[in-house]
């Protein structure tokens, strides 16, 4: 099997090397031709750039003066250009011959470059002799004309006519204007004796007309036309060379494409043949292996002599033997694992039974604790004996919670005072429930000790809670937020003191808020002061609203955010004119809809109390108390209660 694989692998390597050599040969040929095309393009670009420089000699141009001024330098630069171009052309020809492309050198010979050099040298000399404005024959004629205009002003009109014929000749390169110049000169000589300067002017014009016609005469007799024909012939030879190289490069690319396609086709055929051969060979051995394994499993992992005889003597046979040994070991290990799993399962079943018993005992204890906590809270029947209407929504997060509400009625000096409090203890569940029991007992204890004013009750409660929960070595920040009011039934007033919980009063479609102070009941790290209390006159149909943070801090709604006090306040204002029971039902429904499937955030308690003040009692008590419409009209005060409430 290994030798077969090595043989096939060696064949693939030989084929790949052969394909690589063929590709390298074709790529090298194409690269060589492309390089020669690039050289031909560079030579063509040089010739075109040089041609553009000499195009200025096709007509009378200011460049004539610059050539006349520095003729020797121009001749030297021209000679250097053709020497450089000739060297580059000869190098290109040698490279073409070296790469068996000498057939493309036709028309690009040394004599061609030498002839163009000679023509351009003569062309530059003619241009230098003619000049444009300040140099050459034109410059000399211009100087003589200016001198004659100064020396012989009487001839200015005739001189102007002669100069007009001169300019027309230079612009149109027409011998007719030269003849007119000569006729006018002859006519002038017959009429009068001319100065010598005018004779010199005529001689210069004769030389100018001769040289100018030799330079720019229309047709092939002019120096410029003769040069242009030779130069364009050289450019045509370069273009033909480039076209031939491009065609040869295209042919080479086509031949390379065909060769590569043929080789790739042969490679694909070879690969398909090898794949079919190996697939059939391996498929047969795999089927034998599968049959052997199936028989081995069917015999409950037992070896038989005929099974061993059917195993091939190759790598597949070795795999089969390893598989047989492995399956026997797996069978043994599985038996051990099954025994171990069975023992562990029995152990887990026993422990689960124990946990279930413990869970039942724990739930029974929590249910009993829930009943105890409910018995400690004020019943709705007792509330209805003291208030016209009383609605309580009490829902701990767990079975027991840290929220509690407490009520105590005290009869002293023929006056009845009802104390009511709502508290939100730190945490929830069992820890919160323990704190709530301690809070209710502490309030009963403080009322029993003779403390009657709500502010003093909160001060004493804070001291008692801090003393019971903290030691000098260990300071705990546990405690509670609490809202407490005392209702004087005779005067129909309530005295409120709050520790971070407010009291809301729903009155005649408005919502009045008495804010609790930002101090908790318990130990805190910032400086604390004594609590303050606020006396408020009750009106008929006033409804007192108390709630813990569990309601306003509940996450829910479309955006999964807290309900917030602003939302709750706006909700009460929309339903302020409805009966108390309807408000309570709609509020609970609104809270459940807001919460939806979201987990309850904290213990939640909400209480609506309606004292039920009669109009006669209100009028008799209003003599000693200011009007609460003015008292509670502004909620912008940051401490205590809205502006105007009397502060004891």
């Amino acid at each position: 099997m290994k030798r077969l694989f090595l043989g096939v692998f060696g064949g693939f390597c030989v084929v790949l090397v052969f394909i690589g050599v063929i590709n390298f040969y074709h790529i090298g040929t194409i690269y060589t031709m492309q390089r020669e095309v690039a050289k031909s393009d560079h030579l063509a670009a040089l010739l075109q750039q040089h041609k553009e420089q000499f195009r200025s000699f096709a007509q009378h141009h200011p460049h004539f003066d610059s050539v006349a001024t520095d003729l020797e330098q121009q001749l030297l630069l021209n000679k250097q250009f053709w020497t450089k171009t000739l060297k580059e052309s000869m190098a290109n020809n040698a490279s073409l011959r070296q790469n068996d492309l000498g057939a493309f050198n036709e028309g690009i010979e040394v004599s061609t470059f030498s002839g163009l050099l000679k023509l351009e040298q003569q062309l530059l000399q003619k241009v230098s002799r003619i000049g444009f404005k300040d140099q050459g024959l034109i410059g000399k004629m211009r100087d003589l004309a200016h001198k004659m205009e100064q020396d012989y002003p009487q001839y200015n009109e005739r001189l102007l006519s002669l100069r007009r014929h001169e300019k027309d000749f230079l612009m149109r390169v027409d011998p007719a204007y030269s003849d007119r110049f000569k006729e006018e000169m002859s006519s002038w000589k017959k009429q009068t004796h001319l100065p010598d300067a005018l004779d010199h002017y005529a001689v210069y014009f004769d030389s100018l007309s001769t040289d100018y016609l030799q330079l720019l005469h229309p047709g092939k007799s002019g120096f410029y036309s003769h040069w242009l024909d030779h130069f364009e012939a050289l450019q045509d030879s370069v273009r033909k060379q480039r076209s031939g190289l491009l065609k040869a490069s295209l042919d080479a690319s086509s031949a390379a494409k065909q060769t590569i396609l043929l080789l790739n086709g042969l490679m694909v055929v070879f690969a398909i043949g090898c794949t079919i051969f190996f697939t059939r060979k391996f498929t047969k051995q795999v089927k034998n292996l599968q049959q052997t394994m199936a028989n081995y499993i069917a015999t409950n992992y037992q070896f038989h002599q005929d099974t061993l005889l059917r195993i091939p003597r190759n790598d597949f046979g070795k795999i089969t033997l390893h598989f047989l040994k492995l399956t026997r070991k797996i069978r043994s290990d599985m038996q051990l694992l099954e025994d171990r799993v069975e023992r562990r399962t029995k152990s887990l079943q026993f422990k689960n039974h124990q946990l279930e018993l413990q869970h039942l005992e724990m739930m029974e204890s929590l249910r009993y604790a829930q009943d105890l906590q409910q018995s400690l809270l004020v019943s709705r029947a007792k509330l209805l004996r003291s208030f016209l209407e009383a609605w309580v929504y009490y829902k701990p997060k767990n079975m027991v919670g840290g929220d509690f509400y407490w009520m105590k009625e005290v009869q002293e000096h023929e006056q009845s005072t009802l104390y009511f409090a709502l508290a939100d203890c730190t945490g929830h569940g069992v820890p919160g429930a323990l704190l709530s029991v301690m809070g209710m007992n502490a309030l009963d204890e403080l009322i029993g000790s003779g403390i009657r004013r709500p502010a003093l009750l909160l001060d004493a409660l804070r001291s008692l809670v801090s003393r019971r929960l903290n030691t000098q070595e260990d300071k705990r920040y546990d405690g509670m937020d609490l809202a407490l009011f005392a209702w004087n039934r005779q005067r129909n007033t309530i005295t409120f003191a709050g520790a971070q919980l407010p009291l809301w009063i729903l009155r005649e479609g408005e919502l009045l808020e008495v804010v609790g102070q930002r101090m908790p009941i318990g130990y805190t790290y910032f400086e604390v002061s004594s609590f303050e209390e606020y006396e408020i006159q009750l009106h008929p149909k006033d409804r007192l609203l108390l709630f813990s943070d569990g309601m306003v801090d509940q996450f829910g709604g479309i955006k999964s955010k807290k309900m917030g006090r602003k939302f709750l306040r706006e909700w009460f204002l929309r339903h302020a004119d409805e009966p108390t029971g309807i408000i309570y039902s709609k509020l609970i429904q609104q809270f459940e809809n807001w919460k939806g499937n979201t987990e309850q955030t904290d213990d939640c308690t909400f209480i609506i109390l309606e004292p039920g003040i009669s109009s006669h009692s209100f009028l008799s008590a209003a003599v000693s108390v200011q009007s609460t419409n003015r008292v509670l009209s502004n909620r912008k005060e940051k401490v205590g209660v809205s502006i105007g409430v009397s502060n004891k």
Side-chain angles (χ1 to χ4, degrees), residues 472-542:
Q472 292 183 352
E473 295 80 12
D474 184 20
K475 300 295 183 183
R476 302 181 62 86
Y477 293 96
D478 299 318
M480 62 191 72
D481 299 337
L482 188 140
L484 171 66
F485 68 82
W487 175 23
N488 189 314
R489 294 178 182 272
Q490 282 70 34
R491 299 177 59 208
N492 286 328
T493 61
I494 60 171
T495 304
F496 174 79
Q500 303 196 125
L501 288 183
L503 168 66
W504 287 3
I505 302 175
L506 198 59
R507 173 181 296 170
E508 297 178 357
E510 295 183 354
L511 184 65
L512 311 177
E513 180 178 6
V514 187
V515 184
Q517 291 177 257
R518 298 184 62 82
M519 294 186 297
I521 302 298
Y523 180 78
T524 182
Y525 56 85
F526 54 83
E527 185 177 356
V528 296
S529 58
S530 299
F531 284 97
E532 298 177 355
E533 59 188 27
Y534 307 94
E535 185 175 285
I536 304 155
Q537 176 66 48
L538 291 176
H539 285 205
K541 298 185 180 180
D542 277 357

Side-chain angles (χ1 to χ4, degrees), residues 115-243:
L116 281 170
L117 173 60
K118 184 177 179 181
L119 283 173
E120 289 185 1
Q121 296 281 322
Q122 294 174 354
L123 189 63
L124 289 171
Q125 290 174 357
K126 285 290 184 183
V127 168
S128 173
R129 178 176 170 80
I130 293 171
F132 179 75
K133 184 176 180 182
D134 298 326
Q135 304 295 328
L137 293 172
I138 294 177
K140 293 177 181 180
M141 292 172 65
R142 183 170 176 270
D143 293 340
L144 282 175
H146 286 308
K147 187 174 183 306
M148 285 188 293
E149 288 174 355
Q150 294 176 0
D151 295 343
Y152 307 100
Q154 66 275 18
Y155 299 143
N156 283 349
E157 186 175 351
R158 292 258 183 163
L159 283 172
L160 183 60
S161 177
L162 290 176
R163 297 205 67 187
R164 188 179 298 112
H165 292 315
E166 171 196 341
K167 292 185 180 298
D168 289 339
F169 171 74
L170 292 174
M171 291 177 61
R172 295 174 174 80
V173 197
D174 189 351
Y177 294 102
S178 175
D179 294 339
R180 292 178 187 176
F181 182 90
K182 293 176 182 179
E183 289 174 0
E184 189 164 347
M185 282 293 297
S186 299
S187 174
W188 199 2
K189 285 181 181 181
K190 291 177 182 179
Q191 294 176 5
T192 183
H193 176 72
L194 299 178
D196 295 337
L198 192 58
D199 290 335
H200 293 311
Y201 186 82
V203 172
Y204 287 152
F205 182 79
D206 289 340
S207 300
L208 172 65
S209 61
T210 302
D211 290 340
Y212 203 70
L213 288 173
Q214 289 178 353
L215 177 65
L216 299 174
H217 193 279
K220 297 186 179 296
S221 59
F223 269 89
Y224 179 79
S225 299
H226 188 56
W227 166 83
L228 186 61
D229 292 340
H230 281 71
F231 199 93
E232 289 181 348
L234 176 60
Q235 286 185 312
D236 289 339
S237 299
V238 174
R239 291 191 199 97
K240 290 179 181 179
Q241 182 188 68
R242 183 179 183 278
S243 299

Side-chain angles (χ1 to χ4, degrees), residues 365-638:
S365 298
L366 286 174
R367 278 191 287 270
Y368 187 63
Q370 182 183 31
D371 294 339
L372 289 176
Q373 188 178 37
Q374 290 289 343
S375 66
L376 293 175
L377 298 175
V378 185
S379 66
R380 187 165 181 268
K382 187 175 180 180
L383 288 172
L384 290 175
R385 287 197 293 270
S386 301
F387 294 93
L388 179 63
E389 287 198 50
W391 298 91
V392 179
Y393 178 75
Y394 179 77
K395 188 175 182 180
K397 181 180 180 182
N398 301 317
M399 296 182 69
V400 292
D403 287 1
F404 72 89
Y405 51 95
W406 168 89
M407 187 178 74
K408 192 77 172 180
E409 188 167 3
V410 178
Q411 299 283 345
E412 286 183 344
H413 309 297
E414 298 182 354
Q415 288 193 356
S416 174
T417 304
L418 181 71
Y419 294 87
F420 191 89
L422 172 65
D424 182 0
C425 299
T426 304
H428 45 76
V430 175
L434 291 175
L435 286 174
S436 68
V437 171
M438 182 184 70
M440 287 186 282
N441 291 336
L443 287 172
D444 288 333
E445 181 181 339
L446 294 174
I447 288 292
S449 66
I451 302 175
R452 296 293 180 264
R453 293 175 55 183
L456 296 179
L457 278 171
L458 292 189
D459 289 335
L461 180 62
R462 179 173 59 192
S463 300
L464 182 60
V465 170
S466 298
R467 187 169 61 253
R468 289 184 179 180
L469 293 180
N470 299 286
T471 62
Q472 292 183 352
E473 295 80 12
D474 184 20
K475 300 295 183 183
R476 302 181 62 86
Y477 293 96
D478 299 318
M480 62 191 72
D481 299 337
L482 188 140
L484 171 66
F485 68 82
W487 175 23
N488 189 314
R489 294 178 182 272
Q490 282 70 34
R491 299 177 59 208
N492 286 328
T493 61
I494 60 171
T495 304
F496 174 79
Q500 303 196 125
L501 288 183
L503 168 66
W504 287 3
I505 302 175
L506 198 59
R507 173 181 296 170
E508 297 178 357
E510 295 183 354
L511 184 65
L512 311 177
E513 180 178 6
V514 187
V515 184
Q517 291 177 257
R518 298 184 62 82
M519 294 186 297
I521 302 298
Y523 180 78
T524 182
Y525 56 85
F526 54 83
E527 185 177 356
V528 296
S529 58
S530 299
F531 284 97
E532 298 177 355
E533 59 188 27
Y534 307 94
E535 185 175 285
I536 304 155
Q537 176 66 48
L538 291 176
H539 285 205
K541 298 185 180 180
D542 277 357
R543 286 172 280 193
L544 309 179
L545 311 176
L546 295 167
F547 56 88
S548 64
D549 290 339
M551 176 165 283
V552 294
D553 291 343
Q554 177 62 46
F555 286 94
I558 298 176
K559 298 182 179 179
S560 187
K561 62 179 183 179
K562 292 183 179 181
M563 177 182 286
R565 295 192 181 187
K566 180 180 178 182
F567 176 85
L568 193 61
R569 183 182 298 112
E570 293 173 353
W571 188 92
F572 272 114
L573 289 174
R574 289 196 302 269
H575 300 82
D577 297 330
E578 297 180 6
T580 306
I582 302 300
I583 291 177
Y584 172 80
S585 300
K586 289 185 177 181
L587 176 62
I588 302 310
Q589 184 64 37
Q590 174 65 39
F591 178 74
E592 294 296 334
N593 292 338
W594 178 273
K595 183 176 69 171
N597 296 325
T598 308
E599 181 184 2
Q600 185 171 332
T601 307
D602 196 1
D603 300 330
C604 182
T605 304
F606 192 88
I607 301 173
I608 305 179
L609 302 173
E610 185 174 346
I613 306 299
S614 64
S615 300
H616 175 74
S617 300
F618 168 69
L619 291 175
S620 62
V623 176
S624 60
V625 183
Q626 298 177 355
S627 173
T628 54
N629 286 332
R630 178 178 59 84
V631 167
L632 298 178
S633 61
N634 190 342
R635 295 182 56 256
K636 294 184 180 179
E637 289 288 329
K638 293 185 178 179

